[in-house]
Amino acid sequence: MGSTGNTAHREPWNKGKIVGQKAPFKLKDIWALRVRLQMEGRVRELALFNRGIDSKLRGCDLVALKVRDVCHGDQVASRAVVMQHKTQRPVQFEITLAARDALQAWIKLAGLKSEDCLFPSRLHESPHLGTRQYARILGHWVDELGLDRMEYGTHSMRRTKATLIYRRTKNLGAVKLRSNISITGLHSIAHALYEPKAQTYPSGSLQE
């Protein structure tokens, strides 16, 4: 009895929001942001951006990387293997030359050691950059590119390289070989190239 009056109002999570798959970045956007970050000397952001695009990792796995995950001795490796937080399965990813150079510059600038987090947090209570901090940084990148924040998120980074490979090859098998994205995710990428990315739900909707 009386429970109805004590129940807190539940705000629909998608009220006024665009819901759906986040858009991948286009090649022109990737290069535009890389050039901007390089010219402005934003070493950490360049390393984070390149690592995010190349690895196709989920945000929680990207921010938790340690220096030892990407380095052999004092040199950044061309490939790395990490354990995914969500699936608890190992995944291998490549580290391109541009990403290796950016990571090497960041590690040297920050004076990072093997056991250190690759992207340390500037907040004392967290050893590494948080997913919310990462999302805020990405939001600023989206603004700088003149894009709509509602259409892009951290998952855009995960989808970008897979989308570029699929656009070039039209072969989901080739994408699968070079990514850690599920078959369902791959099909959604292919589908999104030909269908609208998202839809806006009414303010009272509670789609799950």
Side-chain angles (χ1 to χ4, degrees), residues 59-67 69 116-119 128-129:
C60 60
D61 294 320
L62 176 65
V63 298
L65 287 172
K66 291 197 170 186
V67 173
D69 292 326
D116 291 337
C117 291
L118 188 57
F119 300 108
H128 58 72
L129 189 72

Side-chain angles (χ1 to χ4, degrees), residues 47-93:
L48 180 63
F49 180 72
N50 282 340
R51 187 79 301 271
I53 293 291
D54 275 357
S55 70
K56 303 172 289 292
L57 289 172
R58 295 179 181 86
C60 60
D61 294 320
L62 176 65
V63 298
L65 287 172
K66 291 197 170 186
V67 173
R68 69 185 183 205
D69 292 326
V70 299
C71 287
H72 289 162
D74 59 354
Q75 296 297 313
V76 177
S78 59
R79 288 189 177 276
V81 178
V82 297
M83 188 69 71
Q84 298 177 90
H85 178 75
K86 181 178 179 179
T87 64
Q88 289 301 300
R89 293 179 180 176
V91 60
Q92 178 175 272
F93 53 85

Side-chain angles (χ1 to χ4, degrees), residues 167-185:
R167 282 186 183 277
R168 187 171 67 248
T169 66
K170 298 297 188 293
N171 186 334
L172 288 177
V175 180
K176 181 61 178 174
L177 286 173
R178 299 183 62 185
S179 75
N180 57 313
I181 299 176
S182 68
I183 292 296
T184 301

Side-chain angles (χ1 to χ4, degrees), residues 146-164:
L147 303 174
D148 186 350
R149 280 201 187 201
M150 296 295 288
E151 294 186 4
Y152 295 85
T154 56
H155 208 63
S156 297
M157 300 286 283
R158 179 168 160 79
R159 291 164 57 87
T160 293
K161 194 164 188 179
T163 301
L164 293 175

Side-chain angles (χ1 to χ4, degrees), residues 104-116:
Q104 198 79 56
W106 165 241
I107 291 169
K108 181 179 180 180
L109 178 67
L112 300 177
K113 306 301 181 185
S114 178
E115 294 299 315
D116 291 337

